[in-house]
Amino acid sequence: MKAEDIRAFEDFIFWQLTALSARYGLPFQIHTGDARIEGSNPMLLVDLIHANPQTKFILFHGGYPWISETEAIAMRYSHVWVDSCWLPTINYSMAKRAYHEWLDVIPSNRIFWGADRNHAEGIYGATEFTRRCLAEVLAEKADRGDLHEDYALRIGKQILRENAFALFPQLTTKLWKDKSKLTPP
């Protein structure tokens, strides 16, 4: 098979999956940035995002290192969410900058954090980094008077928990702590 045929097939499948995602109400998660620098700039997704306004897109890793580009996309398209998974562990300083910028222009209900890890230790570590990073940013914004403290606390809860439940409502039925007896699936 020729390289251009493979690329055409991959593009066809990608667009079909995007349409199916909208059809079934499932968010479409895309790894951007860090996974593979070449070809992973979130700006390359703008035509796809623009052509599929019914699809809920989630851009992983905040598009690192293109956090401002990711911000511009999420600001322009209300059906795009930014997932900061891994960002504080990849580059803590840039994660702080990203949260500061994103909270200035993206509604706080479209920013969240997901683990994107395959083992408990990694999830725990990434969670701690993210909590600390986000807490520092929200405290800085509150100290400057940009946010009232109560609002900063609400935004923290949104980003770390509530936004994921809003985007993935089926998660609420999967929480074991609300069940009287823990049973395997």
Side-chain angles (χ1 to χ4, degrees):
M1 240 182 170
K2 296 178 186 173
E4 59 266 11
D5 292 337
I6 293 170
R7 175 63 186 253
F9 177 74
E10 289 173 345
D11 285 351
F12 171 78
I13 294 298
F14 199 73
W15 281 75
Q16 290 299 312
L17 290 173
T18 302
L20 286 171
S21 178
R23 181 177 179 186
Y24 292 103
L26 298 171
F28 195 76
Q29 300 172 314
I30 304 172
H31 284 264
T32 58
D34 188 57
R36 190 179 89 199
I37 296 298
E38 183 183 330
S40 65
N41 185 323
M43 292 300 287
L44 298 171
L45 298 169
V46 170
D47 289 341
L48 177 78
I49 290 167
H50 182 77
N52 291 282
Q54 301 304 314
T55 302
K56 297 175 182 176
F57 290 94
I58 303 171
L59 305 181
F60 273 18
H61 315 300
Y64 175 83
W66 299 285
I67 59 169
S68 295
E69 287 84 345
T70 303
E71 170 188 331
I73 294 168
M75 182 179 68
R76 168 67 177 84
Y77 296 99
S78 62
H79 59 291
V80 173
W81 282 256
V82 178
D83 189 333
S84 62
C85 61
W86 282 55
L87 186 54
T89 55
I90 295 169
N91 186 326
Y92 195 85
S93 297
M94 187 173 276
K96 283 187 70 172
R97 189 182 110 210
Y99 284 131
H100 271 291
E101 288 184 18
W102 295 344
L103 288 169
D104 285 345
V105 298
I106 303 171
S108 59
N109 67 343
R110 288 196 291 120
I111 304 167
F112 68 100
W113 172 83
D116 186 31
R117 298 292 303 215
N118 60 358
H119 52 86
E121 296 85 356
I123 292 170
Y124 179 80
T127 301
E128 288 303 309
F129 264 69
T130 301
R131 285 180 179 168
R132 183 179 345 138
C133 183
L134 183 58
E136 288 174 10
V137 169
L138 292 170
E140 289 168 14
K141 285 187 170 294
D143 288 346
R144 280 198 318 259
D146 296 342
L147 288 175
H148 188 276
E149 187 176 328
D150 291 340
Y151 191 57
L153 290 171
R154 186 178 71 78
I155 289 172
K157 288 178 185 176
Q158 274 185 308
I159 291 172
L160 294 173
R161 179 181 167 93
E162 302 306 320
N163 293 343
F165 286 139
L167 200 54
F168 297 97
Q170 63 274 29
L171 288 176
T172 59
T173 63
K174 304 294 182 192
L175 293 177
W176 61 267
K177 73 177 188 176
D178 294 329
K179 297 178 182 179
S180 60
K181 181 179 174 185
L182 179 62
T183 55

